[in-house]
Amino acid sequence: MCTFPVYQIETFEWIEEEKIGSKDSDWYCVRTPAPGLELNERWIFKTPKIFRGEIWAEKIAAEIGQRMGLPTARIELARGESEGDAISGTISLNFADPRNGLTLEPGNELMDAQARVRTYKKHDKDGVLALDAVFDYLNENKVRAPLDATLPDEDAAFYFTGYLVFDALIGNVDRHHQNWGAIRTRDGTLHLAPTFDHGASLSRALGPRKRQNYLNNKQLDQYVAMWRKDEPKSLLPAEVIVLH
């Protein structure tokens, strides 16, 4: 059986709150090196507002991505304390540390800059990814492979395609424009960021009975068939994407 360490956030030094995202998140710095942690590394500690499996889904998805050879944000399990109560969450290593001259630019900012955010149907504040616009942006702006890519001669579009295959494998239903991005280096070069934020995957919010119902009534097959067409006509509930 595979086991993972659980880090105590009290051993880190608090830096600041994270202003982007729906979860309670804070940045911390490692001041006491430990197995798996290096001095001065910066990690973001995330705690879900409602515990519905995000923690284990985030960790397991990251492990799958790494084993697939994809540039994937490193995720570890962590515990902290809030107003005297113990809280659980995850920590994610900063892959765009400004101390190294790196800046993460989310997809919504990149696309907005060129008025490229187009959606088939807006069902949340960010809308559905318009893949043609994303690939046009990556190619026209010569976005390079991720900084830690194992195949650096491939371009960003190659790796982004890998992210989409990964999403399909883990049933990730949260690949909106804030959940992908590019890292800008000191000289202005753009590299696709590692894939990150996979808490809404692995059917983590579905119970066994509901998951089996989706499989039995062929909703999954209908969903896949719909996206084989050139223009999707409607969207089924996000929960229809399940692993089996």
Side-chain angles (χ1 to χ4, degrees):
M1 181 177 65
C2 186
T3 59
F4 303 107
V6 179
Y7 294 96
Q8 301 299 320
I9 204 66
E10 287 79 9
T11 63
F12 294 62
E13 179 182 338
W14 182 85
I15 301 176
E16 62 182 352
E17 292 183 3
E18 171 60 48
K19 299 177 177 59
I20 299 176
S22 60
K23 301 180 181 67
D24 292 329
S25 306
D26 293 89
W27 285 99
Y28 288 83
C29 186
V30 176
R31 294 307 186 199
T32 304
L37 301 176
E38 295 186 9
L39 184 65
N40 294 325
E41 284 181 337
R42 292 189 177 183
W43 295 74
I44 186 170
F45 178 48
K46 298 182 180 181
T47 57
K49 295 179 180 179
I50 301 176
F51 290 91
R52 298 184 63 190
E54 293 97 328
I55 296 174
W56 65 259
E58 187 83 65
K59 174 59 177 174
I60 298 302
E63 293 293 319
I64 294 173
Q66 291 169 5
R67 282 161 174 72
M68 289 176 62
L70 287 176
T72 308
R74 183 182 164 193
I75 300 293
E76 300 293 349
L77 303 175
R79 287 200 182 101
E81 186 175 301
S82 177
E83 298 179 353
D85 295 326
I87 54 175
S88 298
T90 59
I91 52 174
S92 179
L93 182 63
N94 189 354
F95 51 75
D97 196 328
R99 296 174 299 178
N100 297 326
L102 306 178
T103 304
L104 174 64
E105 299 186 12
N108 63 316
E109 295 181 8
L110 295 170
M111 305 286 278
D112 281 343
Q114 295 191 1
R116 287 185 176 276
V117 175
R118 294 181 284 129
T119 62
Y120 290 118
K121 178 180 289 188
K122 281 186 176 288
H123 62 84
D124 60 23
K125 64 180 180 180
D126 296 301
V128 183
L129 276 178
L131 294 180
D132 56 344
V134 174
F135 284 110
D136 285 347
Y137 178 88
L138 296 176
N139 292 326
E140 291 173 10
N141 290 275
K142 296 181 172 56
V143 181
R144 298 184 181 180
L147 291 168
D148 59 347
T150 56
L151 299 172
D153 292 335
E154 298 290 351
D155 59 13
F158 172 86
Y159 277 94
F160 193 83
T161 301
Y163 295 174
L164 299 179
V165 173
F166 177 51
D167 287 343
L169 175 65
I170 65 173
N172 181 24
V173 296
D174 201 30
R175 181 71 69 181
H176 54 71
H177 286 299
Q178 287 186 335
N179 278 354
W180 71 275
I183 296 175
R184 190 178 296 276
T185 61
R186 283 193 179 96
D187 63 5
T189 303
L190 285 174
H191 293 261
L192 185 67
T195 182
F196 60 91
D197 207 342
H198 311 111
S201 62
L202 299 171
S203 303
R204 50 91 176 163
L206 296 181
R209 180 176 298 179
K210 191 171 184 180
R211 186 183 301 113
Q212 194 60 46
N213 285 341
Y214 279 130
L215 296 176
N216 291 342
N217 64 19
K218 298 184 178 180
Q219 277 188 282
L220 181 61
D221 293 339
Q222 294 170 5
Y223 186 87
V224 173
M226 177 187 70
W227 287 98
R228 286 176 178 155
K229 301 176 183 178
D230 292 335
E231 295 288 335
K233 297 181 179 179
S234 62
L235 294 175
L236 295 178
E239 290 85 355
V240 78
I241 302 181
V242 295
L243 291 180
H244 64 99

